[in-house]
Amino acid sequence: MSGNFGMEALIPIVNKVQDAFTQVGMNSVIDLPQIAVVGGQSAGKSSVLENCVGKDFLPRGSGIVTRRPLILQLNYNEKGEWGEFLHAKGKKFTDFDEIRREIEAETDRMTGSNKGISDIPINLRIFSPHVLNLTLIDLPGITKVPIGDQPPDIEFQIRGMIMAFISKPSCLILAVTPANSDLANSDALKLAKEVDPEGIRTIGVLTKLDLMDDGTDARDILDNKILPLRRGYIGIVNRSQKDIDGNKDIKAAQAAERKYFLSHPSYRHLADRAGTGFLQKTLNQQLTNHIREVLPSLRGKLEQQLMAMEGEVKEFRLQGHGGKEDKAARPRVMMQMVNKVNHDFEEMIEGAGSVDTKSLSGGAKINTIFHFRFPGYLNEGRLDEQELRKEIGYAIRNIHGVRSGLFTPDAAFEMTVKRQIQTLAPPSMKCIQQVSTELHEVIMKCIDKLKNYPNLQKEIDNLVSSYLRECEQECRNQINQLVEVELAYINTNHDDFIGFTSQTKSESVKDVQTTNNATDTQQQTREAATKLIKKGWLSTSNVGLTKGLSREYWFVLYTDALAWFKDESERDQKYYLNIDGLKMKSVDDEEEGGLFGSRKHKIQLFHPNTRYLFREYTQLTLFARDEDEMEDWRASFLRAGIYTHRAEERASDLEDENERPKFERLFEDPQLERQVEVIRTYVNSYMTIVRKTFKDIVPKHIMCLMVNRMKLFIEAELMPALYTAGNPAELMEESQEEVQRREELIGMYDACKDALKTISEVTAKTSSTPLPAPITRSHSPSPSPNLGADRIPKSESNQSLSQRPSAARPPPDLPMRPGGGGAGRAAPSPAASASRPAPAPPGGNRRPAPPSRPARPN
């Protein structure tokens, strides 16, 4: 180990947090410190990772082999060597060949076998006595040309995936580049420079040093003279393909690597700062130092995440999940949830608690049904004056038979009234149905919070819905009985009924009224006639617009007129329409045929005799934003006396080619006309009384038999019904998804808590290596010729300068390659390399004199 024990203890905790967040799909919530391995295809990334582990475990082959990010967590462990996958919990992989097969299988499971890629990571944790605590992310190799079934934009997909990892400030970048290619063309360094222009987070790794052309070496790169990085470069010698095919042991390969650096004349002075062992120590040290740097921001993010999860985790633990008291606590938890349902239902009906500002619901919706829609529904079945007089005329003629009647028959009045009373039952049933639907929606909203317990949620839904149907049926029976009661006795002695005596008295009083009283009555009648019914936005498609287009106006409906304005200020009036004699009907989209303004929720106002409605239009088509709004307007038009048009007028009711209604012949008899008018007046008076009764008594029945009974059932009877229906322990069984989510959430909570605890225990005594001084030159592939020895960053292994003989050369005249013959060359030629003088022997421990070193510029 590196000796930085306090910080190294934090790496496994960070790994645990990483696993927890990845498991629940929240790996991007907190940017945890990690090292991303970036490089082109066949750059040697896999060999670097296998050298760090000391085992062959990564897939190999041609083309893109790494097709999903591999989060590799190395954990120092003296007890043995094995691997664990996050997607295969509880299974230990002691055979590293099996680990390779599992990576391949898991990759194909997500991406298929067509060389596609995915940004969903594979988490692999390896425990071994031969590793240091590290977290590395192996990313797909950078490619240019798609192969097989890969999409044409595979290059941009891989680039986007890599950038998503390395652009995070908490991520160190391990840029892997083969030494036998031009460093200026390194894809890894190019991407690193885009997100880390100062080179603060980038560590360079040169692979395949042993495969360079004869007479060439990478000494200047490893000495950080070409494309310098603040954290420098580390040289690596990987196993050759022949070694891999021959199953050469990695430990033997590392020994050969060590021998190579010690024996090579260009790298002899770098032997202690190169190789896999030094890379492991450096990465461990750099990661621990990086964790230390991001510790304040990491602590803040972990605390925020902990606070966000604390309430839910506390609720889980209060419910006894995961402990011995789990089953014993279930009845208590079930009672708490039922009480919660009762509280939410009460609030939504009575209007307390959180208020919805988007739409009407619960008690407010029921109130709208009672006092706004239901009165309109009652008027919907009401006959207009012409149809009513026709029915009365037929009834009188049929009652008189072959005789001509001298007196108005009472039976005609009763028959007409009873037919009108029967038309009140369907609107009442419609009101009951709408309230029942709204109550069920309220119940579903209340039990939606129980989705974690599907058995309990389903049982409550069944019990409450069944009881609601019983209440609804009883309410329907009561309304049907109310209709029968009204039909059983026609009370013509009602105080509000205009009978013969009342009519005579009214006429005598009318004859002796003074002019002032008549004027007051007219004024009151006028005020009543112009009573406001509804205001709101509606769109119309035929007010001075091209067919198919629409415009929105502010409409105001009175009892005798319909006006529309430009906006709700009601200053710019567009039109004022008298609604006397108007009819309405619903309009289908196909019938309207609008190209741009076609809507589903439309009604049309018109005159039955097809005369002009306003200006040159014979009809007015209106549509609202949604069905509920249109339903409210339809009910308002009914209240204003605009009834639904009945288009089923039969041809048998028409006379000759002039299509003059036959019943108009009834009024050729003056006596019959007077009788029809008297009965019509009585019917209208009596039905006004009945409608007032229904408007009052139907909502009362619904409140008593449905709403209030539902409240009492949920409050007092639901809990005993649940105990009767099944075992509370079975009802409180959670869904498998919820169990998994809860375990993951608690695991993430505990991981964050452990991380915060470990962070708090990290003291200033933990050792750390300071970040090297900034490189004054940028990441330019054209190095400056006057780079001095003082520009070479101090090694992070605290190695003495005596082990660098090249540092004694005169800085001002230093060429890019010693003995190369040219100061500005970026890459050596074989001839120049051959003419380079041999380095000083390792025994020379002379330290360069301080006066000979130029001062570092500020």
Side-chain angles (χ1 to χ4, degrees):
M1 304 290 282
S2 65
N4 200 359
F5 300 109
M7 297 302 295
E8 284 175 355
L10 191 59
I11 294 179
I13 300 298
V14 171
N15 290 343
K16 187 177 178 182
V17 176
Q18 176 76 48
D19 287 348
F21 278 71
T22 302
Q23 204 166 5
V24 295
M26 298 175 62
N27 50 322
S28 60
V29 174
I30 295 180
D31 296 334
L32 298 172
Q34 51 200 3
I35 301 175
V37 184
V38 183
Q41 287 190 29
S42 304
K45 299 194 307 328
S46 298
S47 296
V48 170
L49 295 176
E50 287 181 337
N51 287 346
C52 290
V53 176
K55 293 285 185 179
D56 290 318
F57 68 97
L58 293 176
R60 292 183 178 274
S62 59
I64 300 179
V65 178
T66 304
R67 293 184 283 131
R68 287 178 60 183
L70 175 66
I71 299 179
L72 180 61
Q73 301 170 356
L74 306 182
N75 296 267
Y76 177 77
N77 178 61
E78 297 179 349
K79 297 181 179 179
E81 215 170 7
W82 71 89
E84 296 177 359
F85 286 96
L86 189 61
H87 63 267
K89 287 185 175 180
K91 183 177 180 181
K92 288 186 178 182
F93 293 80
T94 55
D95 184 357
F96 282 77
D97 288 334
E98 188 179 357
I99 291 179
R100 178 190 298 110
R101 290 191 292 270
E102 181 66 23
I103 293 175
E104 293 173 346
E106 182 65 14
T107 301
D108 290 341
R109 185 185 65 82
M110 187 62 62
T111 63
S113 57
N114 60 349
K115 299 295 184 180
I117 66 171
S118 171
D119 59 354
I120 301 176
I122 300 175
N123 286 59
L124 172 60
R125 183 179 298 176
I126 291 182
F127 299 85
S128 172
H130 310 297
V131 300
L132 297 177
N133 291 335
L134 274 179
T135 302
L136 302 167
I137 302 177
D138 186 19
L139 296 172
I142 304 168
T143 185
K144 303 290 185 183
V145 180
I147 61 174
D149 297 331
Q150 290 176 349
D153 62 341
I154 186 69
E155 176 185 359
F156 301 101
Q157 289 188 24
I158 294 176
R159 175 185 172 87
M161 183 192 305
I162 294 174
M163 295 297 285
F165 280 91
I166 67 176
S167 59
K168 299 174 182 177
S170 60
C171 180
L172 292 177
I173 306 169
L174 193 65
V176 180
T177 305
N180 58 351
S181 64
D182 191 356
L183 190 67
N185 297 326
S186 171
D187 293 323
L189 290 176
K190 183 174 180 287
L191 292 178
K193 181 182 176 183
E194 291 183 19
V195 297
D196 183 30
E198 300 298 326
I200 297 175
R201 299 186 285 115
T202 305
I203 305 171
V205 174
L206 281 183
T207 61
K208 304 184 180 181
L209 291 170
D210 55 329
L211 300 181
M212 296 182 69
D213 294 337
D214 292 339
T216 62
D217 57 50
R219 176 175 178 176
D220 289 347
I221 299 174
L222 296 177
D223 282 338
N224 214 20
K225 296 178 182 179
I226 298 178
L227 283 175
L229 297 175
R230 200 162 173 184
R231 297 181 185 266
Y233 293 87
I234 300 174
I236 296 292
V237 175
N238 296 329
R239 291 179 299 168
S240 65
Q241 189 62 43
K242 180 180 179 182
D243 294 336
I244 296 173
D245 295 339
N247 294 324
K248 184 176 181 179
D249 185 61
I250 290 183
K251 293 182 180 179
Q254 290 179 356
E257 176 190 48
R258 175 68 176 168
K259 181 179 180 181
Y260 174 83
F261 283 113
L262 287 174
S263 61
H264 197 286
S266 298
Y267 308 133
R268 190 178 303 160
H269 68 293
L270 299 171
D272 292 336
R273 293 187 288 115
T276 302
F278 180 75
L279 176 63
Q280 267 190 296
K281 294 178 182 179
T282 301
L283 293 181
N284 173 268
Q285 190 179 65
Q286 299 279 18
L287 182 59
T288 53
N289 291 341
H290 191 59
I291 291 175
R292 184 187 183 93
E293 292 168 7
V294 301
L295 222 52
S297 61
L298 178 61
R299 179 189 286 112
K301 291 177 181 179
L302 287 173
E303 287 175 349
Q304 290 178 4
Q305 193 64 30
L306 200 67
M307 291 177 62
M309 297 184 292
E310 194 165 12
E312 195 170 1
V313 171
K314 183 178 180 181
E315 184 178 351
F316 281 143
R317 288 177 174 167
L318 283 176
Q319 295 172 4
H321 292 298
K324 297 180 180 179
E325 70 281 10
D326 190 6
K327 293 187 178 181
R330 288 181 179 180
R332 173 177 56 83
V333 175
M334 187 172 73
M335 182 177 296
Q336 292 175 353
M337 293 185 173
V338 171
N339 290 338
K340 178 64 175 173
V341 171
N342 175 48
H343 179 266
D344 292 345
F345 185 81
E346 181 81 18
E347 283 191 342
M348 293 191 70
I349 296 298
E350 300 299 332
S354 58
V355 178
D356 185 5
T357 58
K358 301 296 183 181
S359 61
L360 292 178
S361 61
K365 186 74 170 287
I366 293 174
N367 180 274
T368 301
I369 295 171
F370 283 163
H371 304 297
F372 201 76
R373 293 186 182 178
F374 180 53
Y377 297 153
L378 290 177
N379 288 335
E380 192 170 14
R382 186 175 181 176
L383 295 176
D384 61 11
E385 294 299 318
Q386 189 176 1
E387 293 175 334
L388 180 60
R389 294 175 68 184
K390 181 178 69 171
E391 283 195 4
I392 295 172
Y394 283 137
I396 293 174
R397 292 290 298 270
N398 289 329
I399 290 172
H400 285 162
V402 296
R403 296 179 297 275
S404 298
L406 298 177
F407 302 101
T408 303
D410 292 344
F413 166 74
E414 287 199 9
M415 290 173 59
T416 306
V417 165
K418 286 181 178 180
R419 284 201 60 187
Q420 289 289 296
I421 291 175
Q422 289 174 345
T423 63
L424 301 182
S428 301
M429 300 305 169
K430 187 175 182 180
C431 181
I432 293 173
Q433 178 61 43
Q434 289 192 351
V435 173
S436 176
T437 300
E438 182 60 28
L439 285 174
H440 189 262
E441 289 182 1
V442 171
I443 292 167
M444 293 307 295
K445 289 179 182 178
C446 293
I447 66 175
D448 183 62
K449 299 176 182 178
L450 305 180
K451 58 187 177 182
N452 300 340
Y453 303 91
N455 295 339
L456 179 63
Q457 185 184 40
K458 182 179 179 181
E459 191 62 36
I460 291 179
D461 184 20
N462 291 339
L463 291 172
V464 176
S465 298
S466 176
Y467 189 76
L468 178 59
R469 287 193 294 270
E470 293 177 6
C471 294
E472 180 183 348
Q473 186 58 46
E474 184 174 353
C475 190
R476 289 178 183 273
N477 295 338
Q478 288 291 327
I479 298 304
N480 286 330
Q481 188 174 4
L482 175 63
V483 174
E484 293 176 3
V485 168
E486 291 288 346
L487 293 173
Y489 180 63
I490 307 300
N491 182 17
T492 55
N493 288 326
H494 195 282
D495 293 339
D496 296 332
F497 178 65
I498 305 177
F500 176 77
T501 305
S502 300
Q503 187 178 16
T504 305
K505 182 179 178 180
S506 176
E507 290 175 353
S508 64
V509 171
K510 182 177 181 181
D511 292 338
V512 297
Q513 279 182 331
T514 62
T515 304
N516 292 336
N517 290 339
T519 304
D520 294 341
T521 303
Q522 292 175 2
Q523 180 66 24
Q524 293 173 1
T525 304
R526 188 179 299 108
E527 291 176 356
T530 57
K531 182 180 178 182
L532 175 66
I533 295 180
K534 182 174 175 59
K535 295 181 179 182
W537 289 100
L538 284 174
S539 297
T540 179
S541 59
N542 59 346
V543 184
L545 296 173
T546 304
K547 185 176 181 181
L549 301 179
S550 62
R551 181 176 295 171
E552 200 171 32
Y553 292 97
W554 179 259
F555 279 78
V556 181
L557 177 62
Y558 301 98
T559 52
D560 63 343
L562 176 66
W564 56 89
F565 303 84
K566 181 179 180 181
D567 52 41
E568 59 265 36
S569 64
E570 300 183 13
R571 294 178 182 175
D572 185 5
Q573 180 174 299
K574 297 300 180 182
Y575 205 82
Y576 188 87
L577 177 65
N578 193 310
I579 62 175
D580 185 29
L582 293 187
K583 295 287 185 180
M584 70 172 173
K585 67 177 180 178
S586 298
V587 183
D588 296 331
D589 286 337
E590 293 79 5
E591 181 180 345
E592 190 65 19
L595 180 61
F596 300 105
S598 181
R599 305 289 178 87
K600 291 183 178 179
H601 316 295
K602 297 182 180 180
I603 55 175
Q604 200 173 78
L605 305 182
F606 63 97
H607 274 296
N609 55 7
T610 67
R611 66 186 176 93
Y612 286 119
L613 190 65
F614 69 100
R615 296 178 185 169
E616 69 275 16
Y617 301 104
T618 59
Q619 61 189 21
L620 176 63
T621 303
L622 304 171
F623 42 88
R625 298 175 182 174
D626 53 51
E627 187 175 0
D628 283 345
E629 182 69 15
M630 195 76 265
E631 187 70 19
D632 290 343
W633 274 103
R634 185 178 289 108
S636 300
F637 286 134
L638 290 170
R639 291 176 61 192
I642 304 176
Y643 303 122
T644 303
H645 175 65
R646 288 172 173 80
E648 62 272 11
E649 188 168 317
R650 295 179 298 273
S652 60
D653 290 335
L654 301 177
E655 177 189 36
D656 303 330
E657 66 278 358
N658 297 324
E659 296 186 351
R660 180 168 172 258
K662 287 181 179 181
F663 72 87
E664 289 187 4
R665 297 177 55 191
L666 297 174
F667 301 107
E668 294 176 358
D669 183 355
Q671 183 178 357
L672 179 61
E673 183 177 355
R674 285 193 299 270
Q675 292 176 355
V676 168
E677 189 63 27
V678 169
I679 292 181
R680 183 191 65 80
T681 303
Y682 291 165
V683 169
N684 286 340
S685 175
Y686 193 84
M687 287 307 300
T688 300
I689 297 171
V690 176
R691 286 192 180 90
K692 284 184 179 179
T693 302
F694 270 71
K695 287 180 185 177
D696 179 62
I697 203 69
V698 170
K700 289 181 177 178
H701 273 77
I702 294 175
M703 281 299 298
C704 176
L705 299 176
M706 292 178 62
V707 179
N708 291 343
R709 283 193 178 183
M710 285 299 301
K711 290 164 62 177
L712 290 174
F713 175 79
I714 295 174
E715 180 181 359
E717 300 180 32
L718 180 58
M719 194 67 187
L722 288 172
Y723 272 97
T724 305
N727 185 357
E730 295 177 356
L731 294 177
M732 292 301 294
E733 288 291 340
E734 294 178 284
S735 63
Q736 198 62 33
E737 295 79 8
E738 178 59 20
V739 172
Q740 183 178 356
R741 192 187 74 86
R742 188 188 69 244
E743 291 177 353
E744 291 171 351
L745 185 67
I746 293 178
M748 184 164 55
Y749 177 84
D750 292 339
C752 290
K753 202 169 182 180
D754 291 344
L756 285 172
K757 181 180 179 182
T758 306
I759 289 173
S760 63
E761 293 174 355
V762 174
T763 63
K765 296 180 180 179
T766 56
S767 60
S768 65
T769 303
L771 191 68
I775 302 296
T776 55
R777 291 194 298 126
S778 63
H779 293 224
S780 171
S782 301
S784 173
N786 41 353
L787 174 69
D790 58 304
R791 301 288 179 88
I792 303 174
K794 184 183 295 185
S795 169
E796 294 177 0
S797 64
N798 295 325
Q799 192 175 5
S800 72
L801 294 175
S802 61
Q803 298 177 359
R804 292 196 231 163
S806 60
R809 298 174 189 149
D813 299 323
L814 178 67
M816 294 307 298
R817 293 274 185 187
R825 287 176 298 178
S829 65
S833 180
S835 63
R836 183 187 309 159
N845 292 328
R846 294 171 302 178
R847 183 182 298 275
S852 65
R853 185 186 296 269
R856 184 185 299 276
N858 294 326

